[in-house]
Amino acid sequence: MPVAELLDLLEQLPEPGRDPMLAGLAGVDDEGEPAVHPLLAVVVEHLKQKPDATCYAALIEALTGMWNAAVRGAVVARLRAAGLPADDLLLRLEQLSPTLGLKAGSREWARAWMADPTAQDAALVQQCVVRLLLALRGLAEARARMLTDVPPKEGA
């Protein structure tokens, strides 16, 4: 299912907070008006930048982001426990694995990450979880279509 179709589906949901995949991300504000969690809004904006992408690609992207954050956290804990100075941490991480995402990222992001790796990766994981939920919702919609569409009768 293309991300563009998922975005259309989200706009058409009368009560997103009643959807099991979005229940924690949408609801109503104090005045009873529909409201969405700021993370949902950020991820939807990110997805709008790639309307030709598929929900499957968004799912893989989300899992990859969470995996990289988990590995970075484990590596940082080991390097710090071994007494590696903070100044050498980023260089060592870059040498260990290009898949940790530090070489591909901007220098500003790397500096922000070094200042507080836990906060940076926690924010990334939260966005990836929302992306994962949206991707699953889109894939579920595609499967629901397959299950409920009536195939044409032969000879008709």
Side-chain angles (χ1 to χ4, degrees), residues 9-153:
L9 171 72
L10 292 176
E11 289 178 9
Q12 295 172 17
L13 287 175
E15 294 182 65
R18 294 183 119 312
D19 187 290
M21 299 303 283
L22 307 174
L25 301 169
V28 293
D29 62 17
D30 293 338
E31 287 85 38
E33 295 295 318
V36 297
H37 193 284
L39 275 174
L40 179 59
V42 166
V43 172
V44 166
E45 285 304 312
H46 175 78
L47 291 174
K48 284 180 180 178
Q49 295 172 8
K50 300 178 183 181
D52 295 335
T54 64
C55 288
Y56 181 75
L59 175 78
I60 297 301
E61 185 179 300
L63 291 171
T64 301
M66 288 186 287
W67 172 252
N68 286 341
V71 172
R72 274 193 301 267
V75 169
V76 167
R78 286 176 171 260
L79 293 177
R80 285 191 173 151
L84 186 70
D87 295 344
D88 297 334
L89 191 59
L90 186 59
L91 293 173
R92 181 81 169 127
L93 283 167
E94 286 177 349
Q95 292 170 350
L96 289 174
S97 175
T99 62
L100 292 179
L102 295 172
K103 281 189 176 185
S106 69
R107 280 285 158 211
E108 293 87 32
W109 183 87
R111 276 191 223 102
W113 186 86
M114 284 299 297
D116 192 353
T118 301
Q120 294 297 318
D121 277 340
L124 170 67
V125 168
Q126 289 172 348
Q127 288 181 14
C128 286
V129 167
V130 172
R131 187 176 297 128
L132 177 75
L133 292 172
L134 290 176
L136 286 172
R137 180 59 177 92
L139 291 168
E141 186 67 24
R143 180 68 176 150
R145 277 189 210 148
M146 289 173 50
L147 292 172
T148 59
D149 284 351
V150 178
K153 293 181 182 180

